[in-house]
Amino acid sequence: MEINEKYSDRDRAEMWRDYFETTALELKELKENYNYLISEYHEAREANKRLRQSLKELVDVGTKFLS
């Protein structure tokens, strides 16, 4: 009976090890995806700021031209 219990304990330990390894890999991938999305967000935000500034300058020039 003890031999079977040892094998089942070993099997359970391997199962949990595999589970934690898989979970760690999934978390690593999620973190990489998160970092990529944050990077893309900051780039888009900076591009939007530049676009707004250009648009504001264009409106100001147009307003001065019409005055």
Side-chain angles (χ1 to χ4, degrees):
M1 183 90 174
E2 285 184 29
I3 294 173
N4 288 337
E5 287 177 11
K6 287 182 182 180
Y7 285 122
S8 64
D9 287 344
R10 187 179 345 153
D11 291 341
R12 275 187 256 146
E14 289 177 6
M15 178 189 72
W16 281 110
R17 185 198 68 220
D18 292 345
Y19 170 78
F20 287 125
E21 287 177 351
T22 302
T23 302
L25 290 174
E26 290 172 353
L27 288 173
K28 181 180 178 183
E29 184 177 338
L30 286 173
K31 184 178 179 182
E32 290 171 356
N33 288 341
Y34 171 79
N35 289 334
Y36 171 76
L37 290 173
I38 290 295
S39 172
E40 289 292 312
Y41 167 77
H42 286 295
E43 288 177 18
R45 186 174 175 196
E46 190 60 36
N48 190 27
K49 284 181 184 179
R50 288 192 306 268
L51 182 61
R52 281 185 166 185
Q53 183 61 34
S54 297
L55 184 58
K56 183 180 181 290
E57 291 170 2
L58 183 61
V59 167
D60 289 345
V61 168
T63 303
K64 286 180 185 177
F65 176 75
L66 292 175
S67 302

